[in-house]
Amino acid sequence: MVSPTTVQGVAAVPAKKQHTVFELYRYHFAAGATGLSLSYSCMHPLDTIKTRIQADPTHSWRKIFTRETVRSLGKGFFVSALGAAGQGGARFSTYEFCKSQLVPSGDGNKKKYAIPATALSAVLGDLASSVIKVPREVVTAKLQTDHYAGRSTASYVVRQTIKEDGLKGLFRGFWAIAARDSPFMVILLVSYENFKAFHHRSVRKDWIERMQHQHRVVAHAAYEEWEADIPTMRSVLYGGVSGFLAGYFTTPMDVLRTRMITEKKQQHGSSSASALQVAKTMYKRVNGMPVELYREFFAGALPRSFWWFGICGIFFPTYETLKSLMY
């Protein structure tokens, strides 16, 4: 962590190195790509279990925890890891750029507009990554659930999907994924940014009090932009908790997305069901009973939430460390 210095008894904030917009975009792309690819790679087996739970309408544990599930744990690994790199790079470079433009450094209203600026930037960043994210999820989900029994290569899944539904088949469930991930990213990044802000305020307050105790002059306004590095374990906790909350509350749209992607095409060639049609079918299956409705729409909620705890607990420390190294 870069600490403030003192000059003739006056506390001074070290000057930040200036970077061009392109340099920052490139740094954030590299950090986002590396962090998300690493975290998805580590948590892929749990994602496979979560997907198989959501794809099975009966929610039978005997059907899910089978030898076939064990054999499927590694399916879609390389597609997921490579796709996550492009997805993470596009998402977080766009997010950081939008946030810096909406709330420029040194803006007196920075705190006032921090939450709406973060929320809007999160949505824009997610939309920017959707071109990579949606095909990655479609291919990975089909591999994880053995959609094409006996044919488990990514290239075969891509060819067969295009053959059945055309190029749009790779973007099946696009709006369900957007409806899931936009609120997800808002919850995730607003929570994480607030955890970070709390940490920075605490560190600044402690340091200023220590300087005043030593009878050194401290210009409080000069420290408003000073951000202390976050310890690794604290970053794991902040990111993990934010990911858990975001993952849990957006589970219903993730269930719809999984059902839409893994649904077998009807024999008579009818078009693929929409998110609304899938939701109506799920509602009718349980006759609107509250407890069963919860089980239906929150299928795999805990595996998904713990998966996101792991993803974000790995991603954010990696992302923050890479940013600090490149800056």
Side-chain angles (χ1 to χ4, degrees):
M1 179 178 74
V2 179
S3 301
T5 57
T6 57
V7 180
Q8 295 181 349
V10 179
V13 181
K16 280 186 178 181
K17 183 180 178 181
Q18 297 299 313
H19 297 283
T20 64
V21 172
F22 177 74
E23 284 177 333
L24 289 174
Y25 194 91
R26 187 179 62 191
Y27 295 157
H28 293 144
F29 190 99
T34 304
L36 203 62
S37 182
L38 174 63
S39 55
Y40 268 52
S41 298
C42 293
M43 300 302 294
H44 184 77
L46 186 57
D47 181 47
T48 300
I49 294 172
K50 180 267 298 182
T51 301
R52 293 182 76 90
I53 290 173
Q54 292 178 342
D56 180 20
T58 65
H59 309 309
S60 172
W61 293 97
R62 288 184 179 180
K63 289 184 180 179
I64 294 163
F65 290 100
T66 62
R67 290 181 180 178
E68 188 57 40
T69 297
V70 174
R71 287 195 292 268
S72 298
L73 290 179
K75 289 183 178 180
F77 175 84
F78 291 108
V79 174
S80 181
L82 290 174
Q87 177 184 331
R91 174 182 289 167
F92 284 92
S93 55
T94 303
Y95 165 71
E96 296 281 8
F97 172 76
C98 292
K99 191 174 66 168
S100 68
Q101 298 302 305
L102 291 171
V103 187
S105 179
D107 191 333
N109 294 317
K110 186 173 183 178
K111 291 182 180 179
K112 181 179 178 181
Y113 298 113
I115 292 178
T118 299
L120 180 58
S121 299
V123 172
L124 294 173
D126 184 68
L127 290 175
S129 69
S130 292
V131 176
I132 301 169
K133 173 182 62 181
V134 177
R136 179 192 70 79
E137 291 202 13
V138 168
V139 175
T140 301
K142 288 186 174 183
L143 286 169
Q144 290 171 328
T145 58
D146 293 311
H147 190 76
Y148 301 112
R151 305 301 296 269
S152 58
T153 65
S155 60
Y156 177 82
V157 171
V158 171
R159 290 197 306 271
Q160 196 64 19
T161 300
I162 294 174
K163 181 180 177 181
E164 292 177 356
D165 298 317
L167 195 60
K168 67 179 182 180
L170 292 174
F171 292 87
R172 190 176 182 186
F174 181 92
W175 293 112
I177 292 174
R180 174 200 68 186
D181 285 354
S182 290
F184 175 90
M185 292 305 298
V186 170
I187 296 170
L188 173 68
L189 291 172
V190 168
S191 299
Y192 183 71
E193 293 291 354
N194 275 281
F195 278 133
K196 279 178 62 178
F198 169 77
H199 173 75
H200 296 325
R201 285 196 303 269
S202 299
V203 172
R204 283 196 298 263
K205 182 180 177 182
D206 290 345
W207 193 86
I208 289 172
E209 287 178 352
R210 190 161 60 250
M211 290 298 99
Q212 290 176 335
H213 183 72
Q214 296 175 9
H215 304 293
R216 290 175 177 169
V217 179
V218 178
H220 292 256
Y223 289 89
E224 289 300 314
E225 297 297 322
W226 177 52
E227 296 185 348
D229 289 344
I230 303 175
T232 300
M233 290 311 298
R234 191 164 292 190
S235 184
V236 169
L237 181 62
Y238 291 164
V241 171
S242 299
F244 185 95
L245 293 173
Y248 185 84
F249 288 114
T250 56
T251 296
M253 291 311 301
D254 192 48
V255 173
L256 292 178
R257 183 271 323 188
T258 301
R259 297 282 175 88
M260 289 177 67
I261 290 173
T262 59
E263 177 194 59
K264 298 287 186 180
K265 199 171 180 67
Q266 299 298 319
Q267 295 295 326
H268 47 74
S270 61
S271 60
S272 302
S274 66
L276 183 60
Q277 290 172 325
V278 173
K280 285 180 177 179
T281 302
M282 292 168 63
Y283 182 83
K284 290 177 181 178
R285 186 181 295 124
V286 298
N287 296 318
M289 296 178 65
V291 175
E292 293 301 318
L293 202 60
Y294 172 82
R295 288 185 60 192
E296 190 78 1
F297 281 91
F298 280 83
L302 286 181
R304 170 174 162 79
S305 300
F306 280 112
W307 180 68
W308 274 113
F309 183 97
I311 289 280
C312 298
I314 296 169
F315 172 78
F316 281 108
T318 305
Y319 181 67
E320 298 289 356
T321 299
L322 290 174
K323 280 203 307 180
S324 65
L325 289 174
M326 288 185 286
Y327 282 8

